[in-house]
Amino acid sequence: MKARVHVMLKNGVLDPQGEAVRHALGTLGFDGVQGVRQGKVIELDLAETDATAAEASVTAMCEKLLANTVIESYSVELI
């Protein structure tokens, strides 16, 4: 089973990388971009075959390591 985790900064948390990308896009002539939020995607190959157990395991991984839950939110997708 595979899992995909999407991690993004929470709303209200400054995103300097996103702002740098927005600025760079503007200098390249893409003036219509008003905001950019940058995140990360983590794909995991799991030995687990039970979807409920896999989701619980990946959620625990996110809470302990993959996401800084103080400033980041995450979503888990089993694929």
Side-chain angles (χ1 to χ4, degrees):
M1 180 172 290
K2 290 188 179 213
R4 185 174 294 142
V5 178
H6 297 265
V7 181
M8 293 289 294
L9 287 172
K10 291 181 177 179
N11 289 333
V13 176
L14 293 177
D15 185 352
Q17 282 185 298
E19 182 56 27
V21 170
R22 187 203 60 76
H23 178 71
L25 289 170
T27 61
L28 292 171
F30 299 102
D31 298 324
V33 180
Q34 296 180 352
V36 175
R37 303 287 289 172
Q38 185 167 323
K40 57 187 171 187
V41 176
I42 303 164
E43 288 192 358
L44 304 164
D45 289 322
L46 306 170
E48 185 63 61
T49 58
D50 178 61
T52 303
E55 186 169 0
S57 179
V58 174
T59 298
M61 292 176 200
C62 291
E63 292 289 326
K64 292 181 179 182
L65 176 68
L66 301 178
N68 178 349
T69 57
V70 174
I71 61 170
E72 295 174 321
S73 61
Y74 65 89
S75 64
V76 176
E77 173 188 7
L78 298 178
I79 51 175

